[in-house]
Amino acid sequence: EEYSRNGLQGPMNWYRTREINLEDEIPLAEKYPSWQFQVPAMIVMVGHDPALPPELTDGMEKYFAKGLRKEVIPEASHWVLIHTPTEVNKLIGEFLEQFL
């Protein structure tokens, strides 16, 4: 229903503003070079996305004081929630069970 109203305008805005976002974030990164998220986190990457390969997460764990769980769904592409919803929901459920 939402897609029929706005199409991909919302998701595409992230790509349209990425340079502006980067410019806003660089001063923060320079001011707080050792800052870390204080909550556990998980990132789900995919095997078939030339723009966002799993290797982009290498070293990312240093920004998460409570840990970063990294998962890869090898058969999925950029739209992982559309292509493999069952697998993604299983990973999210397993992650949340640790804390609930």
Side-chain angles (χ1 to χ4, degrees):
E1 186 177 320
E2 185 64 24
Y3 177 77
S4 67
R5 284 188 331 126
N6 298 310
L8 290 174
Q9 182 177 343
M12 295 307 290
N13 283 342
W14 183 87
Y15 295 97
R16 290 183 189 108
T17 62
R18 66 186 176 149
E19 192 171 323
I20 294 168
N21 292 340
L22 175 65
E23 291 169 3
D24 285 346
E25 292 169 359
I26 287 175
L28 288 172
E30 291 170 347
K31 186 174 180 177
Y32 305 102
S34 60
W35 188 86
Q36 292 183 309
F37 291 95
Q38 299 299 312
V39 295
M42 178 176 71
I43 186 166
V44 178
M45 300 296 284
V46 299
H48 296 286
D49 187 348
L52 298 170
E55 295 80 31
L56 286 178
T57 65
D58 290 351
M60 192 180 282
E61 50 280 325
K62 72 181 180 181
Y63 299 106
F64 295 86
K66 305 285 184 179
L68 173 65
R69 178 176 169 176
K70 298 194 277 186
E71 297 289 346
V72 176
I73 300 178
E75 68 275 11
S77 66
H78 187 79
W79 303 104
V80 66
L81 292 170
I82 293 170
H83 296 161
T84 57
T86 302
E87 292 87 342
V88 173
N89 284 325
K90 180 178 183 254
L91 291 171
I92 292 171
E94 291 171 353
F95 177 74
L96 293 175
E97 283 177 1
Q98 298 174 51
F99 309 104
L100 300 177

